[in-house]
Amino acid sequence: MLTERKITLQQTPYVKCATIYSDPEVEPRAHILYFHGGGLLYGTRTDLPETHLLTLTGKGFIIIAFDYPLSPAAKLGFIRDDILSSINRFIESPDAYTVHQLPYFLWGRSAGAYLCLLAAASGSLIQPPLGILSYYGYGFLTDGWFNVPSRYYQTLPAVPESCLELLPDYMHADGPLDTHYSAYVYARQTGCWKSLFYDGREKYFFLDFSLRNCDTLPCPIFCAHSMRDTDIPFQEFQALCQKYHAQRFIASGDQHDFDRNETSPLTGRLLNATLRFLDTCLL
């Protein structure tokens, strides 16, 4: 039986909450700290499909989904530090979330996976996770995709720059599709995506906010990706897997978040592969 509980972690500089998913009828085995996707510009912590929640909690994993502040109101340095704070706060005070003293994993989808990888690479975690689940994540390891117009997004109706006016100018964590997604489409159509979440020097972006100078991670990683992903090039996935000897799951289609289709056999195979990775890390 899936249960969920929302807790408030802080009120300033933005309201940060977490949602805890568990199955009280199953013996707990580990925590999974989850961070959502959305290109750092949109998304919500409650975006996990029910199939994912039922599958993982049914196998004894307690999922804790966290808020984080969105760009452009928050820049990447602040977002990274906020992610580190969420993880380290959990490590220091797990009883604020659950009554179980268990190991933990990190799980992110798209931008959330990038943030998990960045946190692990920073060397600032009090205790490293047992593993990282990267669903269509990235590390800015390859060139020619994140700071140039996207051919895929340019096939969509043009979005005007005025869409940015819909975004709150104060720090916030909830980015609904109807108000925030157009900003991401605009950013990818025009090639200005990076400038919306990072305003520092180019050199320091690659030094501080890519994985290019991180040769090893403190734990194994599981990476899933579509071969013809329309958002994150397959070459980025290949570079990530090669650099960190990741366990791979490759989907043959072109949908970025291919697991959104809960009834697809592909989603079932992905979740089964995810469970095998988690089980191996727990041995």
Side-chain angles (χ1 to χ4, degrees):
M1 179 183 68
L2 177 66
T3 65
E4 65 177 83
R5 178 168 60 93
K6 174 184 172 183
I7 59 174
T8 300
L9 302 174
Q10 66 182 38
Q11 294 289 341
T12 58
Y14 75 98
V15 178
K16 182 197 288 192
C17 298
T19 300
I20 303 167
Y21 302 95
S22 64
D23 185 338
E25 299 176 353
V26 178
E27 184 70 23
R29 301 171 64 205
H31 297 104
I32 300 177
L33 312 188
Y34 173 75
F35 297 91
H36 68 82
L40 305 173
L41 299 175
Y42 70 96
T44 172
R45 72 178 186 280
T46 57
D47 71 343
L48 279 170
E50 186 177 26
T51 297
H52 297 48
L53 295 171
L54 289 171
T55 298
L56 291 167
T57 59
K59 294 297 183 180
F61 296 98
I62 299 171
I63 301 170
I64 306 174
F66 288 89
D67 282 337
Y68 61 85
L70 299 174
S71 294
K75 297 305 181 185
L76 187 51
F78 189 94
I79 297 172
R80 177 200 57 194
D81 292 347
D82 186 83
I83 297 290
L84 287 168
S85 174
S86 293
I87 299 170
N88 282 330
R89 178 174 175 177
F90 167 80
I91 295 169
E92 290 180 316
S93 305
D95 54 338
Y97 304 84
T98 73
V99 297
H100 305 285
Q101 300 292 320
L102 299 168
Y104 81 97
F105 294 87
L106 295 178
W107 182 18
R109 298 201 294 165
S110 198
Y114 160 64
L115 293 171
C116 289
L117 293 165
L118 197 63
S122 71
S124 299
L125 294 178
I126 296 171
Q127 175 187 336
L130 285 188
I132 300 172
L133 301 171
S134 171
Y135 281 21
Y136 28 93
Y138 50 91
F140 297 113
L141 292 168
T142 58
D143 295 320
W145 66 274
F146 57 87
N147 54 359
V148 297
S150 161
R151 284 182 292 177
Y152 167 73
Y153 280 98
Q154 286 188 321
T155 67
L156 304 181
V159 176
E161 184 179 7
S162 58
C163 71
L164 299 178
E165 298 172 5
L166 296 173
L167 303 180
D169 58 3
Y170 55 86
M171 206 166 289
H172 62 288
D174 191 40
L177 288 173
D178 57 351
T179 56
H180 286 61
Y181 181 64
S182 59
Y184 179 70
V185 176
Y186 163 77
R188 296 305 303 270
Q189 285 180 338
T190 59
C192 74
W193 180 38
K194 182 164 75 73
S195 68
L196 293 181
F197 59 77
Y198 179 77
D199 56 8
R201 292 177 59 185
E202 189 84 352
K203 177 177 73 172
Y204 294 113
F205 174 75
F206 292 112
L207 284 173
D208 298 335
F209 300 109
S210 83
L211 298 178
R212 298 190 184 199
N213 292 308
C214 175
D215 293 329
T216 60
L217 291 173
C219 60
I221 66 171
F222 173 91
C223 295
H225 214 89
S226 289
M227 290 184 69
R228 300 186 301 278
D229 190 312
T230 53
D231 281 63
I232 312 301
F234 191 67
Q235 290 77 11
E236 179 74 12
F237 162 76
Q238 290 176 308
L240 186 62
C241 290
Q242 182 176 357
K243 191 174 182 71
Y244 301 119
H245 309 290
Q247 183 171 323
R248 309 180 186 205
F249 182 93
I250 299 173
S252 59
D254 60 3
Q255 192 171 41
H256 176 56
D257 52 342
F258 62 89
D259 59 314
R260 75 165 73 171
N261 183 352
E262 298 181 62
T263 61
S264 168
L266 191 63
T267 298
R269 292 197 295 271
L270 170 64
L271 291 173
N272 286 336
T274 297
L275 287 171
R276 288 194 297 271
F277 172 80
L278 295 171
D279 288 343
T280 300
C281 292
L282 282 168
L283 291 176

